[in-house]
Amino acid sequence: METKETWINFATVGGTFIDFKHLDLTPWGIRGGLIESKGTENFIRANSMADMAERNWKHVKKVSQSSDGLGGPGLHGDWEYMNLLWPVDFNNPPSVEDYFEAIGAIKVIHPSELYIQNILSAQYFEEKGIYFSGWSTYNHYHWDKYKEPQDHYFVYPEENIQETNEFLAFYKVNYKKHGYIQNAIRYYLDSFNVNSAEMSFICLCISLETIVPGNEQLSYRFRRNLAVLCAESYEGGKKIYKNANLLYSYRSKLVHSGMTSKDFAKFELFFEYAQILASRMIIEMMLHDIPSIKDLDKKLTEFGFGQGNSISERYKQFKGNISTWFKVFAYDIQ
């Protein structure tokens, strides 16, 4: 009887200090864990073809923990924190796009420089196991964009992990439902994929500007819509309104070459706030599930600061990343 043979993919992930065994990525058909954990090693060995367990495991470690992600000599600076993602079901494996989509979902919830370093290809022989062959390596740019890149790694409050997992499942089902939300997510995730801090910031601002359906009264409606959507209190709305106004002015200065050395000194403050505000905006858009940006804009016009929870009937608040959620209201960029 001929053995069924299929190609499956695995992914190596950096930009984090956590063990992915705690994250539920099964909506994408994915599980994961630290490469330096015994559980991950046992999984690869147990699912390898006969006499290939040692070879496969060395291959995974060499590629994922190498200094260049290409299997070269030397260890990656974060070698002990690299994670491996693998299919839940080898007979129905996730695509390469599924791996990137799952990582993107995490970054929407927890703004961070989490990244896929490698896609590892393997042949799966039904009832016999896997054999690793080639791999692809992807660019990531956080080392060039930050003074302290590791300050931007993915971490999460352990007490909120269940809420994060629930939102990941919600994200998978809902993020493609409405075009304006997809658009906001696309620009938000694009901000991580460019080798320039300034272009990353512009991408974040474009993502935020999707909160307004047209160019008319853009500046005022931009800051008011964000404040109504993202604030749970009147005072919080006032703070977001003020910060969003400063953010919009800063973006205009940057685009039109009106920046001074004093303005550039505040770049990281504006950058971080744009990132956490865009994250919160996307989450709130998804939770309210309004069919179009015009409909959402109309709702936001009807309500005031602190009334965002009333925009839709089935709204349920999400605070899975409590530190980022708090910063939206408490951040001071002036």
Side-chain angles (χ1 to χ4, degrees):
M1 183 177 177
E2 187 177 346
T3 300
K4 181 182 177 183
E5 175 187 352
T6 56
W7 285 93
I8 62 176
N9 295 301
F10 295 69
T12 66
V13 176
T16 181
F17 295 117
I18 66 100
D19 189 338
F20 267 56
K21 73 177 183 180
H22 301 298
L23 286 171
D24 184 2
L25 301 180
T26 56
W28 288 270
I30 297 168
R31 288 200 177 103
L34 281 172
I35 292 169
E36 282 299 297
S37 73
K38 202 64 182 176
T40 300
E41 179 180 355
N42 289 341
F43 176 82
I44 294 300
R45 290 183 179 275
N47 287 280
S48 293
M49 294 180 65
D51 302 324
M52 289 294 162
E54 181 68 15
R55 182 260 178 204
N56 280 347
W57 180 238
K58 285 183 177 180
H59 177 82
V60 169
K61 285 180 66 67
K62 180 181 178 182
V63 174
S64 63
Q65 296 179 333
S66 67
S67 59
D68 56 6
L70 299 170
L75 286 173
H76 190 284
D78 298 322
W79 64 271
E80 60 186 319
Y81 301 114
M82 299 298 289
N83 277 267
L84 182 71
L85 306 183
W86 59 79
V88 171
D89 181 358
F90 288 170
N91 290 303
N92 185 28
S95 65
V96 171
E97 290 73 20
D98 288 327
Y99 284 111
F100 279 96
E101 184 181 299
I103 294 300
I106 297 170
K107 289 160 82 165
V108 167
I109 304 170
H110 298 273
S112 60
E113 289 293 339
L114 186 67
Y115 63 89
I116 288 178
Q117 175 171 274
N118 307 105
I119 294 293
L120 305 174
S121 299
Q123 291 168 277
Y124 169 58
F125 300 90
E126 192 171 17
E127 299 182 0
K128 290 186 177 182
I130 57 175
Y131 175 85
F132 283 96
S133 51
W135 71 92
S136 300
T137 301
Y138 294 83
N139 292 324
H140 47 90
Y141 303 112
H142 61 283
W143 298 111
D144 304 312
K145 290 194 289 189
Y146 306 107
K147 293 179 181 177
E148 299 292 339
Q150 292 180 333
D151 290 346
H152 300 268
Y153 278 16
F154 166 50
V155 294
Y156 60 82
E158 291 186 7
E159 64 272 19
N160 298 114
I161 188 59
Q162 182 58 38
E163 198 172 357
T164 289
N165 285 335
E166 289 173 1
F167 193 84
L168 284 169
F170 173 81
Y171 181 100
K172 173 60 175 170
V173 173
N174 292 280
Y175 90 100
K176 290 183 178 179
K177 285 177 66 176
H178 307 305
Y180 72 97
I181 297 178
Q182 277 190 273
N183 209 31
I185 292 171
R186 178 168 64 89
Y187 283 113
Y188 172 82
L189 293 179
D190 278 349
S191 73
F192 297 97
N193 298 327
V194 292
N195 191 16
S196 162
E198 292 180 9
M199 284 306 301
S200 291
F201 178 74
I202 296 301
C203 287
L204 291 169
C205 290
I206 294 172
S207 176
L208 287 167
E209 288 170 15
T210 62
I211 194 69
V212 179
N215 292 324
E216 189 177 344
Q217 297 180 345
L218 177 61
S219 177
Y220 169 73
R221 289 169 67 187
F222 168 80
R223 58 185 187 266
R224 187 183 186 281
N225 282 5
L226 285 168
V228 175
L229 180 68
C230 299
E232 69 164 9
S233 68
Y234 179 77
E235 290 302 319
K238 286 174 61 179
K239 190 63 177 288
I240 293 173
Y241 182 89
K242 173 187 172 184
N243 283 345
N245 187 39
L246 292 170
L247 193 65
Y248 190 84
S249 297
Y250 192 85
R251 175 232 191 248
S252 297
K253 284 183 179 181
L254 180 63
V255 171
H256 300 293
S257 302
M259 297 282 280
T260 65
S261 58
K262 186 177 179 181
D263 291 324
F264 274 114
K266 292 186 176 182
F267 180 82
E268 288 195 13
L269 288 172
F270 280 91
F271 183 96
E272 183 180 21
Y273 190 71
Q275 193 175 72
I276 61 177
L277 185 59
S279 164
R280 175 50 51 181
M281 179 193 76
I282 292 167
I283 289 170
E284 294 298 320
M285 283 177 167
M286 291 184 66
L287 291 172
H288 284 296
D289 194 25
I290 305 298
S292 73
I293 187 59
K294 288 185 177 180
D295 292 334
L296 177 60
D297 182 64
K298 182 179 179 181
K299 289 276 187 181
L300 293 173
T301 302
E302 293 171 358
F303 290 95
F305 298 168
Q307 297 179 317
N309 293 1
S310 303
I311 291 171
S312 60
E313 294 180 0
R314 292 176 292 178
Y315 174 83
K316 180 182 178 183
Q317 194 173 58
F318 169 76
K319 297 182 183 179
N321 189 341
I322 192 68
S323 59
T324 299
W325 177 84
F326 179 74
K327 282 182 179 180
V328 169
F329 314 109
Y331 211 95
D332 191 357
I333 54 177
Q334 193 167 25

